[in-house]
Amino acid sequence: MKNLNTSRSLGLRTLAVHGGQQPDALTGAIATPITAASAFSYPDFDSGARRFSGEEPGYIYSRFANPTVAVFEQKLAALEGAETAVACASGMAAISATLFALLVPGDEIIHIGTLYGGTEGVVRNLLPRYGIKPVHVANVNELEAAFTKNTKVVLVETPANPGLDIADLAEIARLSKAAGAVSVADNTFATPYLTRPLALGIDIVLHSATKYISGHGDATGGVVAGSAALITPIRTLSLKQFGGNLSPFEASLLIRGLKTLPLRVEASSLSAQAVAEFLDSHSAVDTVFYPGLKQHPGHATASRQMKLFGGIMAIELKGGLNAARTFLDKLSIITQAVSLGDTDSLACHPASTTHSAVAPEVRRQSGITDGLVRISIGIEDTEDLIADLQQALEGL
């Protein structure tokens, strides 16, 4: 990383631009070059042996490490205030590598509230095949009583997907440390611009980098950050054994995305607040799930641990499934698609898309009804988004 002035704490916008990188030593290029190499030479026999044993630094094979990917990892670590980070091929690769690196047969994992559908599948269906027991609690109030001597990991998303539940990260960190468990927070919705879980005591933070970190809907990736002691085994499992490494081409797009992350997240968050207030007053909408609204159950906690309230919301339509179908099909500016965190505003029906593989009873427990619609606000003009939503809601 370039020799930044460390006499004062740098802002996140500055770190997003400069963290983890420096002009290319060979050409002076400011943009990080894409190192499209699968293997790297070493000077001699002994040097190769030392690099493979870990005694000597140096690149050897892009599945293990790549210069372009390394810049992305260092930039994300700087933004999260982490000692180190490891990039993966997708958000699910990041989550899977983290859990399998931390857990062994006989262990228990506590998961709090609602999780993304893919994560639910890993926790509830895949881990038990390997003798790992998932324990679900609805909220942080139930956490302390759920710990046993076998609890090794506590997993949470906040804001949660898709119902925007808010969990108190500092309290989760405190209770997990007291029980000797590793706390893991999925920070995909909030991003390090709005919430820094490690600063609140959480041990590991992870992201689906496909979302806000990319920000342009053109790259797939995941990333895990924390202390070297915790991240090193995750790196070994993810890259050397699972083979879930990030491509240098994707890494280049994610580096670009991180540079504008603070600007995009702030713009979408400010728009989302206005959109949520509009939807909250509409007769066709039963409930708006957005932590920026004072009636949201997690508003006070979100106010403490988030800079703004983010660009994602969910709405419960009074007309149920038919209303959701009509509403989504009438949208014009807002695109009907899964994913989130793009420059483009997106909307989807979680029960039939992102959480369709989740058992119906689990969906019901999580509030994922047939009338629920998730909306990701992009960077378009707020007035245009509200007008699009208004026309789509007419007649419902």
Side-chain angles (χ1 to χ4, degrees):
M1 188 170 77
K2 65 175 66 176
N3 185 23
L4 298 175
N5 178 11
T6 57
S7 63
R8 58 184 298 274
S9 178
L10 297 174
L12 286 182
R13 283 169 57 169
T14 302
L15 287 173
V17 174
H18 297 286
Q21 69 178 74
Q22 57 188 356
D24 181 53
L26 181 63
T27 66
I30 297 171
T32 301
I34 299 173
T35 304
S38 58
F40 301 84
S41 66
Y42 34 87
D44 52 48
F45 182 97
D46 291 334
S47 178
R50 287 193 298 271
R51 289 187 186 186
F52 269 86
S53 69
E55 298 173 61
E56 178 182 298
Y59 295 100
I60 48 180
Y61 192 54
S62 267
R63 177 158 58 84
F64 303 161
N66 173 279
T68 311
V69 176
V71 170
F72 169 63
E73 292 172 340
Q74 292 161 16
K75 188 179 287 291
L76 190 282
L79 286 170
E80 284 287 8
E83 186 178 359
T84 189
V86 57
C88 306
S90 67
M92 285 309 305
I95 290 166
S96 299
T98 299
L99 297 184
F100 278 101
L102 295 175
L103 296 162
V104 298
D107 287 347
E108 295 180 3
I109 174 175
I110 299 175
H111 54 114
I112 303 171
T114 307
L115 300 173
Y116 165 62
T119 308
E120 287 271 8
V122 171
V123 171
R124 292 181 183 266
N125 302 324
L126 188 55
L127 292 182
R129 296 185 192 179
Y130 298 91
I132 299 163
K133 180 182 177 182
V135 176
H136 178 255
V137 298
N139 52 56
V140 179
N141 293 334
E142 299 178 4
L143 178 57
E144 188 169 17
F147 284 108
T148 73
K149 62 181 177 60
N150 295 322
T151 304
K152 297 300 186 294
V153 171
V154 176
L155 175 64
V156 67
E157 290 179 15
T158 185
N161 186 359
L164 282 297
D165 298 328
I166 300 295
D168 188 329
L169 291 173
E171 182 65 2
I172 292 169
R174 184 185 71 81
L175 292 172
S176 299
K177 282 182 172 56
V182 175
S183 53
V184 180
D186 186 328
N187 202 30
T188 299
F189 272 30
T191 82
Y193 185 64
L194 300 183
T195 305
R196 301 181 90 192
L198 301 181
L200 296 170
I202 294 293
D203 295 310
I204 293 175
V205 60
L206 54 82
H207 298 263
S208 170
T210 311
K211 311 304 191 298
Y212 278 108
I213 288 172
S214 165
H216 294 76
D218 55 9
T220 301
V223 64
V224 190
S227 68
L230 289 172
I231 299 302
T232 297
I234 298 171
R235 177 183 294 278
T236 300
L237 182 72
S238 175
L239 306 186
K240 294 187 178 182
Q241 294 164 338
F242 282 178
N245 59 294
L246 183 69
S247 155
F249 296 95
E250 303 285 276
S252 179
L253 293 172
L254 297 176
I255 291 166
R256 180 201 62 181
L258 278 179
K259 284 177 176 281
T260 62
L261 176 75
L263 304 178
R264 290 184 287 101
V265 171
E266 183 160 319
S268 66
S269 297
L270 294 174
S271 280
Q273 183 71 40
V275 168
E277 290 170 2
F278 160 74
L279 291 170
D280 189 49
S281 66
H282 199 284
S283 59
V285 179
D286 182 73
T287 310
V288 178
F289 302 95
Y290 183 69
L293 297 177
K294 291 182 179 179
Q295 69 267 28
H296 188 285
H299 177 73
T301 301
S303 298
R304 290 196 306 271
Q305 68 187 28
M306 300 181 73
K307 183 175 182 177
L308 295 168
F309 298 104
I312 316 295
M313 67 190 68
I315 59 173
E316 180 73 34
L317 293 169
K318 292 180 179 178
L321 179 61
N322 289 334
R325 179 186 290 110
T326 301
F327 168 73
L328 285 164
D329 286 347
K330 286 174 67 178
L331 290 170
S332 174
I333 294 173
I334 300 172
T335 302
Q336 189 174 174
V338 296
S339 199
L340 51 96
D342 283 1
T343 52
D344 302 41
S345 292
L346 307 173
C348 73
H349 181 247
S352 63
T353 59
T354 58
H355 290 69
S356 59
V358 176
E361 62 272 18
V362 176
R363 286 205 303 268
R364 285 193 295 271
Q365 291 169 8
S366 302
I368 304 170
T369 66
D370 286 343
L372 190 75
V373 173
R374 190 188 71 193
I375 304 172
S376 171
I377 299 299
I379 62 171
E380 303 95 338
D381 287 299
T382 308
E383 296 79 8
D384 294 333
L385 295 175
I386 290 175
D388 190 29
L389 291 163
Q390 188 165 29
Q391 64 81 25
L393 288 166
E394 286 177 6
L396 296 185

